[in-house]
Amino acid sequence: MKVDVLLGLQWGDEGKGKIVDVLTPDYDIIARFQGGPNAGHTLEFNDFKQVLHTIPSGIFRENKMNIIGNGVVIDPIVFKKEIDNLKEKGFDISENLYISKKAHLILPTHRLLDAASEEAKGKSKIGSTLKGIGPTYRDKTGREGLRIGDILSGFQEKYNERIQKHKIILEKLYGFDYEELFNSCEKDWFDGIELIKKFKLVDSEQLLNNSLKEGKSVIAEGAQGTLLDIDFGSYPFVTSSNTICAGACTGLGIAPQKIGKVFGIFKAYCTRVGSGPFPTELLDKTGEELRKAGNEYGSTTGRPRRCGWLDLVALKYAIMIDGVTEMIMMKADVLDEFDTIKICTGYEINGEVTEEFPYELNDSVKPVYVELPGWKTDLTGITCQNEFPEEFNNYINFIEEETGVPISIASVGPKRAQTIFLNQD
Ligand code: GDP
Ligand code: IMO
Ligand code: MG
């Protein structure tokens, strides 16, 4: 058996949570491979809506094994909140959730270091989610991190040592007033650790590879998006993990030849939260219309998302890096009202047009657009491909022809049912 991977092709928030939940019935195991509580994955079914930050999006389907992989970073405070919140709503997920012993812990001071670093950067800040992601991955690669497996022995000593060092950095490097903030959250953090201890803490790479041998099917759930990847995103305005398909190998302990399908998810337009370049961004009325129609506000931070037209240069780059085998187009319904819809097919840089994603996306990059007719039809109630308006079919065909990758699902609303499988003869 192989591992199918589902990941974002843009700057995150493409709708990964919704589609993992939709596809989960086809799989035995759902495994998150990177990121942490910077993610906000929204699921909607019946009259129920939930945003998940650390827990994989397969958790609401019965009898599915959900794994938080070694590539993920876990904040015990956020984790406990998620679990408590689900319990309040009647979901006890303790039987189905497995956590890798090799996943790293976000310490209370990592969050403060994130805040201090952003504050110190001033205007050039990353616009991070302030969840401590950067400092935690920095300690991981700096070989100073604490892992879930460390909880099981000699933990307090290792913890104290790290915290001490972080406090010195906060004080001496940043002059950051941490005392009150730190004291107010340390107890909650340890309550979270106690809760984590009650879960199945496993060598998830063994569990996954053994399961594959037994013929079990696995879907790997990405967080963020390819353009936020630490290596290939718009550095330094990126997150601190490998969000690309290769991240599923390192984040779960899966060999490359075990990767099967690669589902690349994209919105029918583009959004971005936080700072950094965004060539097709619309700072005008049209951008506001997209934000309003798409309800584009961060699932984790509530920040308004920046909005713009679909960017095929960036999309093709993501497809190349990820080896996408099929695409999933999200939020098509958000474009229902537009008379015409633009798609960026090239970048003009110093008078020359290129279709190649450049080293740096600076101000000299100008998008070149084609304009397609809008469908001016409410897609949200559509139940099969035969009902698609002609202009919508054209929009899909245009993207498929430009990228050379088939679109297998079009999503026309946030609910499970608003998902149309294409070309299902
Ligand atoms: P993720 O981080 O990739 O899981 O995406 P988010 O959950 O952060 O953001 C996607 C938002 O769009 C959520 O509020 C979803 O409920 C919503 N959504 C998902 N698919 C669709 C769709 O096809 N149409 C509309 N209008 N909303 C959608
Ligand atoms: P999901 O999984 C959208 C962005 C932040 C910031 C940058 C770095 O829901 O798609 P970080 O806190 O990771 O150090 O922030 O990355 N970012 C996201 N944007 N969706 C996400 O996750 C994101 N996770 C991080 O806004 O620009
Ligand atoms: Mg999100």
Side-chain angles (χ1 to χ4, degrees):
M1 288 300 280
K2 299 221 164 187
V3 176
D4 293 344
V5 180
L6 183 140
L7 42 71
L9 297 179
Q10 295 164 321
W11 282 284
D13 303 327
E14 296 88 351
K16 298 173 290 292
K18 167 180 166 167
I19 296 298
V20 170
D21 170 62
V22 166
L23 296 180
T24 293
D26 295 341
Y27 295 91
D28 300 306
I29 301 175
I30 299 85
R32 257 285 293 275
F33 61 86
Q34 44 68 234
N38 49 350
H41 294 180
T42 315
L43 289 76
E44 271 192 64
F45 49 91
N46 308 327
D47 285 326
F48 179 77
K49 182 174 173 177
Q50 184 71 32
V51 181
L52 296 171
H53 302 288
T54 324
I55 298 167
S57 302
I59 204 69
F60 294 112
R61 303 284 193 172
E62 275 174 32
N63 301 324
K64 304 289 177 185
M65 182 185 276
N66 282 258
I67 300 178
I68 299 176
N70 58 279
V72 176
V73 291
I74 300 174
D75 182 335
I77 298 179
V78 180
F79 180 76
K80 184 167 184 303
K81 269 197 198 138
E82 272 189 89
I83 298 288
D84 289 350
N85 180 255
L86 288 177
K87 247 194 204 143
E88 270 167 34
K89 293 177 178 170
F91 296 95
D92 180 359
I93 61 167
S94 52
E95 271 310 300
N96 295 341
L97 188 64
Y98 294 69
I99 306 175
S100 167
K101 283 197 262 182
K102 295 191 174 72
H104 277 246
L105 280 165
I106 300 178
L107 304 183
T109 38
H110 282 136
R111 283 243 296 257
L112 302 179
L113 285 164
D114 199 358
S117 154
E118 285 285 85
E119 201 177 284
K121 283 196 170 97
K123 269 194 182 149
S124 59
K125 70 176 181 182
I126 308 293
S128 91
T129 57
L130 299 177
K131 302 292 176 193
I133 303 297
T136 305
Y137 279 111
R138 183 156 56 214
D139 273 354
K140 174 179 176 176
T141 50
R143 298 164 295 186
E144 294 189 353
L146 273 186
R147 303 190 290 179
I148 291 288
D150 291 320
I151 298 174
L152 305 173
S153 73
F155 185 59
Q156 190 68 44
E157 199 180 320
K158 290 179 202 159
Y159 169 86
N160 290 346
E161 194 189 302
R162 266 48 164 218
I163 294 290
Q164 237 11 70
K165 187 168 170 190
H166 290 161
K167 283 184 174 173
I168 292 169
I169 299 171
L170 282 166
E171 193 178 313
K172 301 272 187 249
L173 182 64
Y174 294 115
F176 191 82
D177 195 3
Y178 62 81
E179 209 64 51
E180 205 183 313
L181 286 167
F182 178 78
N183 292 338
S184 67
C185 70
E186 197 184 25
K187 184 184 172 298
D188 289 346
W189 195 86
F190 275 101
D191 288 348
I193 291 289
E194 287 309 310
L195 179 69
I196 288 174
K197 278 184 189 165
K198 294 186 183 146
F199 281 80
K200 298 180 185 106
L201 310 183
V202 295
D203 293 313
S204 57
E205 67 282 20
Q206 306 278 12
L207 180 61
L208 275 166
N209 282 288
N210 288 338
S211 301
L212 288 172
K213 263 194 221 147
E214 288 165 13
K216 300 236 167 78
S217 53
V218 180
I219 184 162
E221 174 180 359
Q224 290 78 56
T226 301
L227 302 176
L228 288 172
D229 179 80
I230 182 73
D231 282 281
F232 298 103
S234 45
Y235 194 87
F237 300 102
V238 293
T239 191
S240 296
S241 63
N242 278 118
T243 60
I244 58 171
C245 185
C249 295
T250 56
L252 294 174
I254 297 291
Q257 72 268 30
K258 295 218 176 102
I259 300 290
K261 292 181 195 167
V262 182
F263 299 108
I265 283 213
F266 70 104
K267 277 181 199 173
Y269 49 99
C270 276
T271 63
R272 175 165 202 168
V273 238
S275 326
F278 181 0
T280 62
E281 180 171 17
L282 294 163
L283 297 164
D284 55 8
K285 212 172 113 250
T286 312
E288 274 167 39
E289 279 165 13
L290 280 172
R291 187 173 309 114
K292 192 157 169 260
N295 192 23
E296 293 295 356
Y297 295 89
S299 316
T300 298
T301 58
R303 291 179 290 179
R305 295 179 182 142
R306 301 155 65 193
C307 297
W309 296 119
L310 183 63
D311 181 343
L312 285 182
V313 179
L315 193 69
K316 284 188 206 170
Y317 181 73
I319 289 169
M320 173 183 82
I321 299 287
D322 293 316
V324 173
T325 59
E326 49 193 273
M327 290 198 290
I328 298 173
M329 182 161 86
M330 305 301 290
K331 302 190 88 159
D333 55 297
V334 172
L335 301 178
D336 282 355
E337 305 276 322
F338 288 83
D339 292 330
T340 58
I341 298 164
K342 287 186 183 176
I343 300 188
C344 165
T345 53
Y347 292 160
E348 190 187 313
I349 304 173
N350 302 326
E352 286 198 24
V353 176
T354 177
E355 289 181 19
E356 211 161 275
F357 199 65
Y359 171 71
E360 196 185 14
L361 287 175
N362 55 28
D363 288 345
S364 65
V365 175
K366 306 276 179 249
V368 178
Y369 289 112
V370 294
E371 199 159 352
L372 301 180
W375 40 90
K376 306 283 284 176
T377 309
D378 178 2
L379 295 181
T380 55
I382 281 184
T383 54
C384 73
Q385 193 176 5
N386 297 341
E387 298 167 24
F388 284 176
E390 191 189 336
E391 294 85 354
F392 184 46
N393 274 324
N394 289 343
Y395 193 71
I396 291 177
N397 292 341
F398 184 82
I399 297 166
E400 287 186 326
E401 273 165 29
E402 285 282 318
T403 57
V405 181
I407 297 179
S408 57
I409 293 176
S411 175
V412 293
K415 299 206 180 254
R416 272 181 188 163
Q418 292 170 307
T419 311
I420 320 286
F421 289 82
L422 309 185
N423 308 313
Q424 304 275 301
D425 299 328

